[in-house]
Amino acid sequence: GILQHPDGTVLKQLQPPPRGPREQEFYNKVYDSDCCDSILLELREYLPKYFGVWSPPTAPNDTYLKLEDVTRKFNKPCIMDVKIGQKSYDPYASAEKIQQQVSKYPLMEEIGFLVLGMRVYHVSSDSYETQNQHYGRSLTKETVKDGISKFFHNGYCLRKDAIAASIQKIKKILEWFEGQTQLNFYASSLLFVYEGSCQATTVRLSDVTLAEKRGVPKGLLSGGDILEYNNNIHVINSTENGKIEASVSKGLSKFYALHKKAYSKRHHSQLSLKVENLEQDNVWKSSTCITQEHLNGNVIPQLEKVFCHMPAEIKESANVEVRMIDFAHVFPSNTKDEGYIYGLKNLITVLQNILDN
C-alpha cells in the first residue's frame, strides 16, 4: 500500500520486476532535470510530483517511489480511483493474463474505464462512506452514471461544482493525449480528490444591495466562534431580512469554500464558519461586522439552499485535483493512445450527463 513519509510525501513500494522498474523508469524519464521534451514537460502537470526513490534505514533493499501526497492540502478529502482505457492488460500480457483481466470487468472495452474504489465524506453524518473495487465491477452501462454520481454526493446535495471542475481537468489531460504519440498507458488510473468538508460557493445576487466594503477584524466573534478568511470572499448583509448571503464578484469565476462546522456542544445555536480558498492576496472584506445573532435561527437552511445549487454555467475549478497515477504498464509508441482517449471521452460524457441531469 501507500505509506506516509514524515515530510508529507507518500511512499509507493516498488513492485517486483518488470512492473516496478518500468514505473521507476517512467518517472525518471518524465522528471529528468535535463528533459526538454515539451510533451513530457506538460505531462508533469497531470502527475503527482516525483522526488526520486527512498529506502528505510532498517531495510535498505526495500525501494519506494517518493511522491507528492495529492490529498495533503485537503481537510476532508473525497477520493476516487478510476482505471482508464479499453484494455487493462498491456501488449506483452500472456493469454492467461488477458483472460484474467477481461473476466474481472468484461465491460472495460465498451465503457473505457473502471471505478477501483472511492471514499466520500458525508457532511450530514460527519463520516466517510467507502466503496471498494467490487462496487466498481458491479456497475453496468445502465448504472455507471448513478454509481459515479455517488462519489459527488455529500449527504446534503450533489457537488456540481466538483463535477464541473473534474470535467475541466480531464479535458486538459485529454488534450495532452490527443497531441502525443510517444507513450501508451495500460492499467493506469486517474485519482480524483475534492474537498468534502466545505461547499464551493458562487452565486449571483442581483436583488441584493452591496453595502460599502469595510474591514472586519480577523479573530474571535461574539460567543468565541472564529471567522477566518483569505480573499475574494465577500460576506454581506441583506438590507431586507438580515440573512447571511455570500457572493463572488461578477468578473471572478473561481469557486471558494465555506466550511460549516458542527454545532458547539455547549450551545447548540452557535455556528462556526471557516472560509477557505487557495489565493494569497486582495482580500475583499465583509461589508458589515458579523455578530452572533446572524449565526442563529434559520441561517443553516438558507446557507444550504444557496450553497447546494450552483449556477450550471460556471465550470471553473473548485478545490479539486485530478492526477494520473500507476505507471507500471507504460510503453513507447508511435501512435495515439486510442484506448485511453476513448476512456477519457466516455468518462467526460458520463460526468457531463450527471451535471446536466
Side-chain angles (χ1 to χ4, degrees):
I2 301 294
L3 303 178
Q4 183 79 50
H5 192 280
D7 66 4
T9 59
V10 293
L11 303 170
K12 179 182 181 181
Q13 188 164 23
L14 213 62
Q15 300 177 70
R19 291 175 297 169
R22 190 186 295 133
E23 183 164 31
Q24 182 181 352
E25 181 184 355
F26 169 81
Y27 274 113
N28 287 338
K29 180 178 181 180
V30 174
Y31 283 93
D32 189 332
S33 58
D34 295 326
C35 177
C36 56
D37 185 331
S38 61
I39 294 294
L40 298 183
L41 291 175
E42 183 186 348
L43 179 58
R44 294 179 184 179
E45 298 178 26
Y46 313 122
L47 312 182
K49 292 184 178 66
Y50 173 61
F51 302 100
V53 295
W54 178 88
S55 296
T58 55
N61 293 327
D62 291 345
T63 304
Y64 294 82
L65 299 173
K66 202 163 185 285
L67 302 167
E68 172 190 6
D69 181 359
V70 180
T71 71
R72 191 182 186 196
K73 69 179 181 181
F74 297 90
N75 183 28
K76 297 288 186 182
C78 297
I79 306 168
M80 179 169 65
D81 185 335
V82 182
K83 185 182 289 188
I84 304 293
Q86 291 179 283
K87 297 177 180 178
S88 57
Y89 54 88
D90 64 52
Y92 303 98
S94 64
E96 182 182 2
K97 179 68 173 179
I98 293 174
Q99 180 58 38
Q100 179 195 51
Q101 290 298 313
V102 170
S103 64
K104 283 182 179 180
Y105 195 57
L107 285 175
M108 190 76 178
E109 186 169 356
E110 186 173 354
I111 294 179
F113 61 85
L114 166 63
V115 177
L116 293 179
M118 65 175 69
R119 184 169 179 259
V120 187
Y121 178 71
H122 283 181
V123 179
S124 53
S125 60
D126 188 27
S127 63
Y128 280 96
E129 178 184 356
T130 302
Q131 302 289 350
N132 61 22
Q133 57 186 327
H134 299 292
Y135 172 81
R137 289 175 187 161
S138 71
L139 299 178
T140 65
K141 287 185 296 182
E142 292 72 30
T143 63
V144 68
K145 175 184 165 185
D146 290 338
I148 289 182
S149 67
K150 194 182 191 76
F151 173 64
F152 294 100
H153 203 287
N154 66 4
Y156 278 133
C157 61
L158 188 67
R159 286 288 303 275
K160 289 193 172 186
D161 61 307
I163 300 173
S166 296
I167 291 172
Q168 295 307 310
K169 290 180 181 292
I170 299 171
K171 284 182 176 179
K172 294 294 292 182
I173 296 173
L174 176 59
E175 287 177 13
W176 181 85
F177 271 91
E178 293 277 20
Q180 71 90 24
T181 57
Q182 56 180 285
L183 293 172
N184 279 8
F185 296 73
Y186 303 90
S188 185
S189 291
L190 288 184
L191 183 71
F192 292 78
V193 189
Y194 73 87
E195 180 56 69
S197 68
C198 55
Q199 297 176 357
T201 65
T202 301
V203 293
R204 297 181 183 273
L205 294 183
S206 56
D207 299 326
V208 178
T209 302
L210 301 183
E212 179 183 356
K213 290 179 282 187
R214 64 186 181 86
V216 173
K218 184 175 180 179
L220 291 177
L221 300 176
S222 60
D225 287 335
I226 298 176
L227 176 68
E228 297 177 2
Y229 60 86
N230 289 333
N231 68 329
N232 296 329
I233 273 287
H234 182 184
V235 180
I236 63 174
N237 170 271
S238 169
T239 57
E240 296 180 358
N241 52 27
K243 295 174 184 175
I244 291 181
E245 308 270 4
S247 74
V248 178
S249 82
K250 182 179 290 187
L252 189 67
S253 57
K254 285 184 179 293
F255 289 98
Y256 298 96
L258 182 103
H259 176 191
K260 182 182 67 180
K261 292 185 179 178
Y263 280 111
S264 165
K265 292 181 180 178
R266 295 182 179 179
H267 196 315
H268 287 274
S269 66
Q270 294 178 350
L271 180 67
S272 176
L273 300 178
K274 184 178 181 183
V275 179
E276 304 173 342
N277 69 43
L278 301 178
E279 305 292 330
Q280 298 298 324
D281 53 0
N282 298 329
V283 176
W284 292 1
K285 297 176 180 166
S286 76
S287 59
T288 59
C289 252
I290 301 175
T291 61
Q292 188 62 46
E293 64 183 1
H294 293 115
L295 302 178
N296 296 335
N298 65 351
V299 68
I300 294 177
Q302 286 300 318
L303 289 173
E304 289 170 357
K305 180 180 179 181
V306 172
F307 301 144
C308 288
H309 300 281
M310 313 303 299
E313 72 274 15
I314 296 179
K315 294 178 170 58
E316 293 298 328
S317 59
N319 199 3
V320 173
E321 291 286 352
V322 179
R323 304 288 186 94
M324 297 170 61
I325 59 171
D326 298 337
F327 307 110
H329 302 277
V330 179
F331 296 90
S333 174
N334 55 13
T335 61
K336 286 186 179 182
D337 191 340
E338 297 295 351
Y340 202 104
I341 290 172
Y342 176 88
L344 290 178
K345 288 182 175 179
N346 216 21
L347 181 56
I348 290 171
T349 298
V350 171
L351 290 172
Q352 191 64 55
N353 284 338
I354 295 172
L355 194 60
D356 294 341
N357 298 325

